[in-house]
Amino acid sequence: MDEIVEQGFDRLQTLISETKQKQDDASREFCSRNAALLSRMIDAVAPIAQEIGSEFLLKAKQDTKGELYDQKYYEEKMIILGKTDAPLEYRPDDPKKKVTQQFSVLSEKGALYELMFSNDGFVVDTYASPLTPEDALEFYGYDIIYMLYSAMRDYYLAEEEVLAALDLALGYIQKKTRN
C-alpha cells in the first residue's frame, strides 16, 4: 500500500510541475501578445501625439515663491499614459536626485519613456528613461492600453466635430453664393 501511495504522490508532484510550466508558458505568450498589441497601438497613436500631445519640462529654475523661470522643454510633444504611485527613489542618471513624480509617456516619434521629475528646491528637471512595451505593461499595467485607446478615440471624435463644422460652413457658403 505504501508503494502505491508514493507512486501517486510522485505522479501528483509531476502533474503539478507540468501544470505550473504550462501556466508559465501561457502567461508569457499572453504577455507577449499584449506587448505586440501595445506596440501596434503606439505606432497608430504616435503620429497624432504631435497634435494632441503636450510639451514637457526638461529643466527650469525655481524662485523663492516657487515660480519657474529659464524653462527648457523637450523638443517632442508627449502624451501621458500613466503615473506610478510608487516612483523610484532616485534617478538612474543621477543617484543624488530624488524622484518626486514619475509618468509613463509616449513621444510623437513613437518612443515610450518613464519621465522622472526631480526638484531640489532651486532646479526642477526631468530624466526620460526609455521604456519597452513589455516593461510598460509590467510597471503600469493595462492602463497604458486604455489611455492609448482613449487618446485615439478622443482625437477621432474631435476630428469628426471639425469635419461636421466644416460641412456646415461649406453648406452655408455654397447656399449663400447660389443666392
Side-chain angles (χ1 to χ4, degrees):
M1 190 71 131
D2 289 340
E3 188 175 316
I4 292 175
V5 171
E6 283 184 39
Q7 287 176 351
F9 184 73
D10 288 344
R11 179 67 181 138
L12 190 56
Q13 282 183 312
T14 302
L15 287 173
I16 289 172
S17 177
E18 289 172 356
T19 302
K20 279 199 169 288
Q21 184 61 45
K22 288 177 184 176
Q23 287 174 343
D24 290 345
D25 292 346
S27 178
R28 270 193 293 280
E29 183 177 345
F30 183 75
C31 289
S32 72
R33 288 183 185 215
N34 285 328
L37 170 65
L38 180 58
S39 294
R40 287 194 310 275
M41 292 179 79
I42 287 168
D43 291 343
V45 175
I48 64 173
Q50 187 174 18
E51 293 180 47
I52 65 172
S54 301
E55 292 181 339
F56 282 87
L57 184 70
L58 176 63
K59 187 174 189 174
K61 294 177 184 172
Q62 190 173 21
D63 65 20
T64 55
K65 296 177 185 174
E67 299 294 322
L68 300 179
Y69 63 97
D70 289 342
Q71 297 104 323
K72 294 179 185 166
Y73 295 90
Y74 285 94
E75 291 179 16
E76 300 177 57
K77 288 186 177 180
M78 300 179 202
I79 301 170
I80 293 179
L81 301 178
K83 180 181 179 187
T84 183
D85 294 333
L88 292 176
E89 193 167 342
Y90 297 98
R91 288 185 8 194
D93 67 320
D94 188 348
K96 294 177 280 188
K97 295 183 178 182
K98 283 187 79 95
V99 176
T100 55
Q101 291 184 354
Q102 184 173 324
F103 299 92
S104 171
V105 296
L106 171 66
S107 77
E108 64 186 49
K109 292 184 181 171
L112 278 177
Y113 296 103
E114 273 192 299
L115 202 56
M116 300 173 195
F117 286 80
S118 298
N119 182 354
D120 65 6
F122 179 66
V123 175
V124 176
D125 69 338
T126 60
Y127 172 67
S129 178
L131 197 59
T132 65
E134 293 82 7
D135 288 341
L137 285 168
E138 183 179 332
F139 301 153
Y140 295 91
Y142 292 99
D143 289 347
I144 288 181
I145 289 176
Y146 175 76
M147 291 300 290
L148 283 169
Y149 172 80
S150 293
M152 194 100 168
R153 184 180 153 276
D154 292 349
Y155 178 76
Y156 165 74
L157 292 174
E159 289 296 300
E160 196 173 57
E161 288 176 10
V162 169
L163 181 60
L166 286 172
D167 281 345
L168 184 66
L170 282 173
Y172 179 77
I173 290 170
Q174 288 172 346
K175 186 177 180 185
K176 190 88 166 162
T177 57
R178 280 189 229 147
N179 291 339

